[in-house]
Amino acid sequence: MAISKKQKIRNLKNWPIWPRVAGLIILLAIIIFTNTAITSLFLRATFTNKVQICVSNTNRVIDVVNELYKKNDAELRRRCNDIEKVLPEVESICFVSDKDEVIGKINPDQPNFQYEFNLPYSVINKRVVLSREVMQFVDQWNHDWEVNHGTKNHSDEFIDESEDLIREFLRKEIRSNIFKKGNVSPDVLERHVISLKFWLIDKTNVPDVNVCVKNRITIKVGDVIFFAASFFVNILVSVLLGFYFIFMFVNIFKQRKHISRILYTDVTTSGNNAIYFEKEAEKKLKKVKRGKANYFLANIHIDKLSTHTACFGQEFVDSTIEKIYKTIEKEIGKGEILARYDSSDFVVFMNFTDRENATARVSKIVSDIQALNPANKIKCSVGLCQVDPDADNVNEIYNNAILARTLSVTETNKLVWFEQEMCQVHLWEHQVENDMDRAIEQEEFLVYLQPKYGVKNEKLSAAEALVRWQHPTEGFVPPNKFIPILEKNGMIIKLDDYMISHVAKLQAKWMNEGKQLIPVSVNVSRAHFTIDNLAQHIADLVDEHKVPHEFIEIELTESAFFDDKEVLLNTVDELHKLGFKVSMDDFGAGYSSLNTLKELPLDVIKIDAEFFRGKDNLERGQLIVGQTIQMAKNLKMEIVAEGIETREQVDFLKTQGCDLIQGYYFSKPIPVDEFEKSL
C-alpha cells in the first residue's frame, strides 16, 4: 500500500528522535552502572586487601602462640612486642579463653565482646569485635536508631546492619578527613583518611586459648585520590556525552523548525501553502466536530491567470499573486487561515455567523483584489462551502467549494455557495463521461425525427434528426441532461459523427425500401470545427452508406461563427462543393445575425422560436420575422420557422412566404418507426 501524503510529510518533517532518546537512556544507565561499579570495586578491593593483611598478621601471632605458649613466656611476650612494633596494622595483642575471659595481655588494651559483628567484604570466617575507638560512633548510631524508631536496638539488629554501619563509618571518615579538613600539606598522599580499628579473634592449637589481635585498617589519601580521579574522569566523560546529546537534541529541534518553515511556505507569496492549510484546517475541523466553532471555506480562483502570464510575463504575475495574498491577508482575522492552494487558487478558512455576513466579507476581498489593477481588472470566481461537522476531512470541503465555483457558468454569478444537490450534478457529469463510449458502441443513443412541413401544402417535406439516450440504468434521458456535458468535455464530436452516420444509414434503408427520400438535417457542434478537413470527414461518413449528399443537411449554430470565421467559411464552401446543404439554427438568437447573412453562404436559416412567444412584443416580433424572411428570400435562402405551436402562427408564416414549419403544432420529435409511417 502506498504511503499517504500526510505520512510522507510527517516522515519528512519529523526526524526520528526516539533512537536518540533511547541512546541517552542507555548512556545514563551506563554512567550509573560504571560509577557504582567503580565505587564498589574500589571499596571491595581496598578493604578486602586490608583485611587479608590483618588476617595474615593474626596468623603470625597464632604461630608464635602455638610455639611458645606456656613454654617460654618471656620469649612469647618479646616476639609479640616485636610484631606490634614491626607491623603497623597491629596495635594490641591479648589472649582469651573459649568463654571470652581475658587470660593474658601484651598491653593493657582488651576487646569488648558486646560489639561483635561480621566484617564487610571479608573472605574470612573469624570473629570480629569493634575497638573502643569505634564504640562512640556505634553509640551515636544506636541513639539515632532509638530517636527514629522509638525502640532500643538489639544486638542481632546491630549485626544485621553491621555492613551498612561500617559503610556509613567509612563515608563519615572520608568526609571528615578529606572534604572538611582539606589536607594540602606535602605529605597529604601518605596521611590516613580512614582508620578503622577492630579485634580479630581466632583459635590456637593451645587448648582454651584464643588470640585477640587489635588491627588497624588505614586508607590513605593517595588511595582515595586515585579512586576520586577515576570517578572524576568517568563523570567528566559522562557530562561531555550528556552535553553532546543535549546539543544534538537542540539541533534536531532547530532542524525540524527549519524544515517546517520550508515545508509550509509558498515560494511566490512567502505565505502559507496548501500543506500548511490542510494541517491547520484539520485542527479547526475538530473544533467544529466538537461544536466549539463554526467556519466556512472559500476557494478564490484567479481567472485566466495563464493569459496574464503570456501577456505580461511570469515576473509580473508573481508580483501580482503576492499582492493578492497580502490583500486577502488584511481581511483575515484571529483564528482564521489563509493559504495559496494552487497556482491560481487561494483558500480561506473563516469564522461563520451567517451566509449574508460571509458573502459580504468575501465580496469585499474580491473587490479589493480587482482594485489592485484598475486598468486591467483581475477577475475572480469564488466557491464557498460551510464547514459540515460530518465532513471526513478538509479536502472534502475544499473540493465542494471548487465544485460550486466550477458549476457557476454565468458572468453575473461569480460567488456561489455549495449545495448538496451540486454533488448529484457532478456525479451525473462523471457518469455521462464514463458511459459515453459504451453508449455509442451499444447504440444506446436513439435517432428521433421532428417533421418539417411545407407551408403551402402542409405536407411532410423534411425533418430534423434529434438524439435521445436510452440508458440501461437511468432509463430515457432527455438531451438537455447530457448534451451540455458533452459539449463541455469535447465528447460531443463523437456524438455528432454517430448521428450523421445513423441518419445516413436510415436514408440508405429508405432507399432500399423504395421510399421517397427527404432532406434530414443533422446538428454539428462548434467543437467539430477543430477537426482538420471537416467537410471531407462528413462526406466519408455519409458515403459509407452510399446516400446522395443533397439529402443530408448540415445544421450549424450561430455561435460557431464567432470561433474561427475563416475555418467556418472554408468548411461551408467545401460542404457545398461536396453537395451538402448548410443551415443555421437559432437565427436571431445572437447579436450579429445580419453580418452572418452577409458573410456566410447558407442554404437554409431557421428562425428562432422566441420571436413567436410573448404577448407584449408579438407585433414587433412578427415585423422582424417578416423582414427577415423577405431578406433571406432575396439572398435565395430557404426559410424554416421552428417552435411553431398555434394555427395563428402557421397562417402568419404562410402570408410571409415561409418555406417550412417545424414545431409541436404539426408534430413533436418522434421515433423513427413512427416517423416512417408518415412517409
Short mmCIF file of all heavy atoms in Angstrom, two decimals, residues 364-383:
data_model
loop_
_atom_site.label_atom_id
_atom_site.label_comp_id
_atom_site.label_asym_id
_atom_site.label_seq_id
_atom_site.Cartn_x
_atom_site.Cartn_y
_atom_site.Cartn_z
N LYS A 364 -16.00 41.68 -0.32
CA LYS A 364 -15.04 42.76 -0.03
C LYS A 364 -13.63 42.36 -0.48
O LYS A 364 -12.89 43.17 -1.07
CB LYS A 364 -15.05 43.04 1.47
CG LYS A 364 -13.97 44.01 1.96
CD LYS A 364 -14.20 45.42 1.48
CE LYS A 364 -13.38 46.45 2.24
NZ LYS A 364 -11.96 46.15 2.36
N ILE A 365 -13.26 41.11 -0.24
CA ILE A 365 -11.94 40.63 -0.67
C ILE A 365 -11.83 40.68 -2.19
O ILE A 365 -10.82 41.14 -2.74
CB ILE A 365 -11.72 39.19 -0.15
CG1 ILE A 365 -11.54 39.19 1.36
CG2 ILE A 365 -10.50 38.56 -0.83
CD1 ILE A 365 -11.46 37.81 1.98
N VAL A 366 -12.88 40.23 -2.88
CA VAL A 366 -12.87 40.23 -4.35
C VAL A 366 -12.75 41.65 -4.88
O VAL A 366 -12.01 41.93 -5.83
CB VAL A 366 -14.11 39.52 -4.89
CG1 VAL A 366 -14.20 39.68 -6.41
CG2 VAL A 366 -14.10 38.04 -4.52
N SER A 367 -13.50 42.59 -4.27
CA SER A 367 -13.44 44.00 -4.70
C SER A 367 -12.04 44.57 -4.51
O SER A 367 -11.53 45.30 -5.38
CB SER A 367 -14.45 44.83 -3.91
OG SER A 367 -15.76 44.37 -4.14
N ASP A 368 -11.41 44.23 -3.38
CA ASP A 368 -10.06 44.73 -3.12
C ASP A 368 -9.06 44.15 -4.13
O ASP A 368 -8.12 44.84 -4.55
CB ASP A 368 -9.63 44.36 -1.70
CG ASP A 368 -10.42 45.13 -0.65
OD1 ASP A 368 -11.07 46.13 -1.02
OD2 ASP A 368 -10.41 44.71 0.53
N ILE A 369 -9.24 42.90 -4.51
CA ILE A 369 -8.35 42.28 -5.50
C ILE A 369 -8.51 42.97 -6.85
O ILE A 369 -7.52 43.28 -7.53
CB ILE A 369 -8.65 40.77 -5.61
CG1 ILE A 369 -8.24 40.05 -4.33
CG2 ILE A 369 -7.92 40.16 -6.82
CD1 ILE A 369 -8.63 38.59 -4.30
N GLN A 370 -9.75 43.23 -7.24
CA GLN A 370 -9.99 43.88 -8.53
C GLN A 370 -9.46 45.30 -8.54
O GLN A 370 -9.08 45.82 -9.60
CB GLN A 370 -11.49 43.87 -8.82
CG GLN A 370 -12.03 42.47 -9.11
CD GLN A 370 -13.52 42.45 -9.31
OE1 GLN A 370 -14.23 43.37 -8.91
NE2 GLN A 370 -14.03 41.39 -9.93
N ALA A 371 -9.40 45.93 -7.36
CA ALA A 371 -8.89 47.31 -7.29
C ALA A 371 -7.37 47.39 -7.38
O ALA A 371 -6.82 48.48 -7.52
CB ALA A 371 -9.35 47.95 -5.97
N LEU A 372 -6.69 46.24 -7.33
CA LEU A 372 -5.23 46.26 -7.42
C LEU A 372 -4.75 46.76 -8.77
O LEU A 372 -3.69 47.38 -8.87
CB LEU A 372 -4.67 44.84 -7.17
CG LEU A 372 -4.77 44.31 -5.74
CD1 LEU A 372 -4.32 42.85 -5.70
CD2 LEU A 372 -3.93 45.15 -4.80
N ASN A 373 -5.52 46.49 -9.82
CA ASN A 373 -5.13 46.90 -11.18
C ASN A 373 -6.37 47.42 -11.91
O ASN A 373 -7.01 46.69 -12.67
CB ASN A 373 -4.52 45.72 -11.93
CG ASN A 373 -3.85 46.15 -13.22
OD1 ASN A 373 -3.95 47.29 -13.65
ND2 ASN A 373 -3.16 45.21 -13.86
N PRO A 374 -6.76 48.66 -11.66
CA PRO A 374 -7.99 49.20 -12.26
C PRO A 374 -7.97 49.17 -13.79
O PRO A 374 -9.01 49.00 -14.42
CB PRO A 374 -8.04 50.64 -11.73
CG PRO A 374 -7.15 50.64 -10.53
CD PRO A 374 -6.09 49.64 -10.81
N ALA A 375 -6.80 49.34 -14.39
CA ALA A 375 -6.72 49.38 -15.85
C ALA A 375 -7.00 48.02 -16.47
O ALA A 375 -7.55 47.91 -17.57
CB ALA A 375 -5.35 49.89 -16.29
N ASN A 376 -6.61 46.98 -15.79
CA ASN A 376 -6.81 45.62 -16.28
C ASN A 376 -7.28 44.76 -15.11
O ASN A 376 -6.51 44.06 -14.47
CB ASN A 376 -5.51 45.07 -16.88
CG ASN A 376 -5.72 43.73 -17.55
OD1 ASN A 376 -6.84 43.31 -17.80
ND2 ASN A 376 -4.62 43.06 -17.82
N LYS A 377 -8.56 44.85 -14.81
CA LYS A 377 -9.11 44.24 -13.61
C LYS A 377 -8.84 42.74 -13.55
O LYS A 377 -8.95 42.02 -14.54
CB LYS A 377 -10.61 44.49 -13.52
CG LYS A 377 -10.97 45.90 -13.08
CD LYS A 377 -12.46 46.02 -12.81
CE LYS A 377 -12.78 47.42 -12.28
NZ LYS A 377 -14.23 47.55 -11.99
N ILE A 378 -8.48 42.32 -12.35
CA ILE A 378 -8.28 40.89 -12.10
C ILE A 378 -9.64 40.28 -11.80
O ILE A 378 -10.31 40.68 -10.86
CB ILE A 378 -7.32 40.67 -10.92
CG1 ILE A 378 -5.98 41.36 -11.20
CG2 ILE A 378 -7.14 39.19 -10.64
CD1 ILE A 378 -5.07 41.41 -9.99
N LYS A 379 -10.04 39.31 -12.60
CA LYS A 379 -11.34 38.68 -12.42
C LYS A 379 -11.21 37.44 -11.55
O LYS A 379 -10.28 36.65 -11.71
CB LYS A 379 -11.96 38.32 -13.77
CG LYS A 379 -12.29 39.54 -14.62
CD LYS A 379 -12.97 39.15 -15.91
CE LYS A 379 -13.33 40.38 -16.75
NZ LYS A 379 -13.98 40.00 -18.02
N CYS A 380 -12.15 37.30 -10.63
CA CYS A 380 -12.14 36.17 -9.70
C CYS A 380 -13.46 35.42 -9.78
O CYS A 380 -14.51 36.01 -10.05
CB CYS A 380 -11.94 36.63 -8.26
SG CYS A 380 -10.47 37.62 -8.00
N SER A 381 -13.40 34.15 -9.53
CA SER A 381 -14.61 33.35 -9.31
C SER A 381 -14.42 32.63 -7.98
O SER A 381 -13.32 32.18 -7.66
CB SER A 381 -14.83 32.36 -10.44
OG SER A 381 -13.69 31.56 -10.64
N VAL A 382 -15.48 32.57 -7.21
CA VAL A 382 -15.37 32.10 -5.83
C VAL A 382 -16.41 31.03 -5.55
O VAL A 382 -17.58 31.18 -5.91
CB VAL A 382 -15.56 33.27 -4.82
CG1 VAL A 382 -15.38 32.77 -3.39
CG2 VAL A 382 -14.58 34.40 -5.13
N GLY A 383 -15.96 29.97 -4.93
CA GLY A 383 -16.86 28.94 -4.42
C GLY A 383 -16.78 28.90 -2.92
O GLY A 383 -15.68 28.92 -2.35
#
